[in-house]
Amino acid sequence: MLPRLLLGPHRLLLASPLPRRPGLAPRRAMSSSAAAAPAPAQRRRPLRGVVFDMDGTLTVPVIDFQAMYREVLGGDAAYAAARAAGGGSVDILHCIESWEPDLQRRAYEVIARFEREGLDRLQIMPGASELCGFLDGKQIRRGLITRNVKEAVYLFHQRFGMAFVPALSREFRPYKPDPAPLLHICSTWNIPPHEVIMVGDSLKDDVVCGKRAGAFTCLLDETGRYGPHESLPEDVKPDFKVSSLTEVFRVLENHFDLVAAPAESTV
């Protein structure tokens, strides 16, 4: 997953109803560790689908992104300049979109090499298999959105025996943090975005994508790199923050009514 510094167009409202979700109780943002069962007066929201990021969420992070960025951009100075221009973050795919074709081709070759090397070390994230089994048992749809290539998604499915449908790679344009891939999945499922939750390890890609689509969002922050949940900027603050996929069970069971999804429409 390649980070990008983008802020969503709307803020999470903590005390007033959300106009884009008529009929639902006010939505509260909290970490799973602080998320006990909702108060009796609070309606539990229906949930019919879960969409996951892949790298760093369903799989253990293995790509040295900083080394990849330096090689693509042409060294430490260019990388530092790109970080400064991006407010401390680099979206490498966005950076190379305006390059000349020859430079673009070289850049994609470097990215592909790093990704291939990462595939050799691909490992499933602890708790991923159990979480998928739980969702299957509840007949909750599960999809996948990654900025990695289609080959990586195929290998993930083959190696770990999991199927995410749809599973969108970066060949689907526009990619995260644009809401288009998540909206496409919701349309395929025939499920409104406010009955779906996006789970990922990037504020700038996964959370922004989910918020822009109108879905619930859950940030996986294993190492605490983002700091306390309450300290996150409102523009990118997720509805929930967890430190492991195992904690997602508690989020789903404490805050949602898990409803069997309707039959999937033809893609």
Side-chain angles (χ1 to χ4, degrees):
M1 174 192 41
L2 304 178
R4 180 178 186 180
L5 185 63
L6 284 178
L7 299 182
H10 58 270
R11 292 178 176 271
L12 187 67
L13 303 180
L14 301 182
S16 59
L18 292 175
R20 61 190 172 88
R21 296 187 184 173
L24 294 182
R27 178 171 157 187
R28 298 186 54 138
M30 61 185 70
S31 66
S32 68
S33 59
Q42 181 183 14
R43 286 185 58 187
R44 292 163 61 89
R45 299 82 154 184
L47 191 80
R48 302 172 188 269
V50 182
V51 179
F52 295 90
D53 167 59
M54 190 175 80
D55 301 307
T57 302
L58 292 172
T59 62
V60 177
V62 292
I63 297 175
D64 186 342
F65 287 109
Q66 291 187 2
M68 181 176 72
Y69 297 163
R70 288 188 176 93
E71 185 170 343
V72 169
L73 295 170
D76 291 343
Y79 174 55
R83 279 177 55 87
S89 180
V90 176
D91 184 337
I92 199 67
L93 297 181
H94 178 72
C95 285
I96 66 180
E97 280 180 349
S98 60
W99 291 7
E100 294 295 325
D102 287 346
L103 293 176
Q104 271 194 357
R105 184 163 51 252
R106 175 195 168 277
Y108 281 122
E109 288 172 355
V110 172
I111 293 171
R113 188 181 78 245
F114 273 85
E115 290 174 338
R116 283 195 303 270
E117 293 169 354
L119 293 180
D120 295 335
R121 304 187 301 275
L122 196 64
Q123 301 177 53
I124 193 168
M125 188 70 79
S129 179
E130 294 81 0
L131 180 55
C132 289
F134 170 79
L135 295 174
D136 291 347
K138 298 289 186 179
Q139 299 182 51
I140 303 299
R141 295 248 187 262
R142 49 186 172 91
L144 184 153
I145 303 173
T146 179
R147 285 160 57 108
N148 210 320
V149 291
K150 187 182 301 184
E151 177 187 0
V153 175
Y154 175 79
L155 180 62
F156 170 77
H157 282 162
Q158 292 297 110
R159 183 171 296 180
F160 301 116
M162 298 179 181
F164 293 79
V165 182
L168 304 181
S169 60
R170 72 162 169 260
E171 286 82 1
F172 183 98
R173 298 294 185 96
Y175 34 70
K176 296 180 298 184
D178 193 284
L182 183 51
L183 292 173
H184 173 80
I185 289 178
C186 292
S187 176
T188 299
W189 285 344
N190 194 27
I191 297 174
H194 64 258
E195 294 183 0
V196 171
I197 188 168
M198 177 77 202
V199 181
D201 70 323
S202 170
L203 284 178
K204 310 305 183 290
D205 290 327
D206 305 315
V207 172
V208 170
C209 174
K211 289 170 74 71
R212 287 182 171 180
F216 290 97
T217 54
C218 180
L219 176 68
L220 173 62
D221 186 9
E222 281 196 298
T223 62
R225 63 177 172 142
Y226 290 112
H229 184 253
E230 59 272 12
S231 70
L232 297 175
E234 291 295 327
D235 310 74
V236 294
K237 183 176 288 185
D239 297 298
F240 306 96
K241 182 174 179 287
V242 299
S243 60
S244 70
L245 287 182
T246 302
E247 293 183 31
V248 177
F249 285 94
R250 187 156 62 249
V251 167
L252 298 180
E253 292 187 313
N254 287 352
H255 298 278
F256 297 98
D257 283 326
L258 303 179
V259 182
E264 187 174 351
S265 63
T266 304
V267 180

